[in-house]
Amino acid sequence: MELASHVFQLVFLGNTGFRWPVAYFASREITAPDIYTIFWSAVSNLQEWGFFVDYSSMDGAVSNRSFINIHFEETMTARKSEFMVTNRVNMDTKLALIMDFSHCVKKIRNGLLKSSSHDASVKTLLITGKNVLWRHWRDAYNWSENAHTFTVNHKLTPSHLDPDPAEKMRNHLAEEVLDADMLHLMMTYRDSLSGNCDFLDSTIRLLENTSTMIKVCHFK
């Protein structure tokens, strides 16, 4: 028998804020089929006690992503159905299987890290036909650091702009390049430029949306 290295936990969060851990299991590495059996058993037991599950939110671990994929024939099927699946306990209802907020924010940031107009081997993010490039974040950061005694966005550090593999997993580093403070810095940087600066319009539009998402998801 080997010593467990992980804990798989199920937590119920009600619409009113009622929250408590339903169950937890010590393991070395849980698999997607294991999660499938445990999850639907928990949904069934909760329903017997009068608690109904509308969605499941989980982090981006490989086993969790595989668990979601079990419910769909292929990735495009999952997207077309908006990750809604038939409730195995009550076949007349649907249940959403989603990644948690922090995972989604990191996915957005990781995509931006790769967005470049100089490297043909990577994709360039476009919004309304204009590039959204990671270089825009670098330029705004360097302008803030070099042009002011006090930086416009004091939270930003080199780790935000060039995160190593471990730093890419840190939620706050991803959120802080997409939040309201980053939007303020990008808009201030744009206003400081002379001439045509509409190349930043799509980047600012993205930040307007991500900053709103972060504000809403952190609202208590």
Side-chain angles (χ1 to χ4, degrees), residues 14-64:
N15 294 329
T16 61
F18 177 63
R19 177 190 186 112
W20 96 98
V22 176
Y24 59 88
F25 304 87
S27 70
R28 287 195 62 81
E29 186 174 357
I30 197 166
T31 65
D34 292 332
I35 297 174
Y36 185 96
T37 302
I38 293 170
F39 175 80
W40 287 112
S41 176
V43 172
S44 176
N45 284 315
L46 283 167
Q47 185 166 311
E48 288 185 12
W49 300 331
F51 297 94
F52 298 89
V53 179
D54 296 318
Y55 75 95
S56 173
S57 176
M58 60 203 76
D59 66 27
V62 173
S63 56
N64 289 338

Side-chain angles (χ1 to χ4, degrees), residues 8-207:
F8 177 74
Q9 184 180 47
L10 297 175
V11 178
F12 181 87
L13 175 62
N15 294 329
T16 61
F18 177 63
R19 177 190 186 112
W20 96 98
V22 176
Y24 59 88
F25 304 87
S27 70
R28 287 195 62 81
E29 186 174 357
I30 197 166
T31 65
D34 292 332
I35 297 174
Y36 185 96
T37 302
I38 293 170
F39 175 80
W40 287 112
S41 176
V43 172
S44 176
N45 284 315
L46 283 167
Q47 185 166 311
E48 288 185 12
W49 300 331
F51 297 94
F52 298 89
V53 179
D54 296 318
Y55 75 95
S56 173
S57 176
M58 60 203 76
D59 66 27
V62 173
S63 56
N64 289 338
R65 298 200 303 271
S66 298
F67 160 71
I68 291 177
N69 291 334
I70 286 176
H71 296 80
F72 303 97
E73 294 181 2
E74 56 186 23
T75 302
M76 289 307 298
T77 304
R79 293 177 181 175
K80 288 179 181 178
S81 62
E82 298 180 334
F83 292 88
M84 298 291 293
V85 302
T86 299
N87 189 326
R88 272 47 172 176
V89 178
N90 183 353
M91 302 296 283
D92 295 328
T93 62
K94 295 285 188 179
L95 189 150
L97 301 175
I98 61 176
M99 294 287 101
D100 69 7
F101 161 72
S102 296
H103 174 76
C104 295
V105 170
K106 285 183 286 192
K107 289 284 287 186
I108 295 171
R109 189 279 315 277
N110 291 345
L112 290 168
L113 285 172
K114 300 174 184 177
S115 184
S116 169
S117 60
H118 300 297
D119 189 347
S121 65
V122 300
K123 294 181 179 180
T124 301
L125 178 61
L126 293 173
I127 297 179
T128 61
K130 293 181 180 178
N131 292 338
V132 178
L133 306 174
W134 191 242
R135 187 182 73 243
H136 298 163
W137 274 258
R138 292 184 185 279
D139 291 345
Y141 171 74
N142 290 332
W143 169 79
S144 177
E145 290 292 306
N146 298 324
H148 297 83
T149 302
F150 299 101
T151 58
V152 178
N153 186 342
H154 69 278
K155 292 184 294 187
L156 291 186
T157 66
S159 293
H160 287 83
L161 280 299
D162 293 293
D164 61 30
E167 290 168 339
K168 285 182 180 180
M169 299 301 295
R170 299 191 178 184
N171 296 334
H172 77 280
L173 292 180
E175 291 180 17
E176 288 169 357
V177 295
L178 297 170
D179 64 7
D181 290 334
M182 188 67 235
L183 171 62
H184 173 65
L185 169 57
M186 195 66 71
M187 294 178 69
T188 306
Y189 170 58
R190 181 189 60 181
D191 293 343
S192 74
L193 300 175
S194 58
N196 186 3
C197 54
D198 62 359
F199 66 92
L200 289 173
D201 287 353
S202 290
T203 299
I204 289 174
R205 182 175 179 180
L206 172 72
L207 287 170

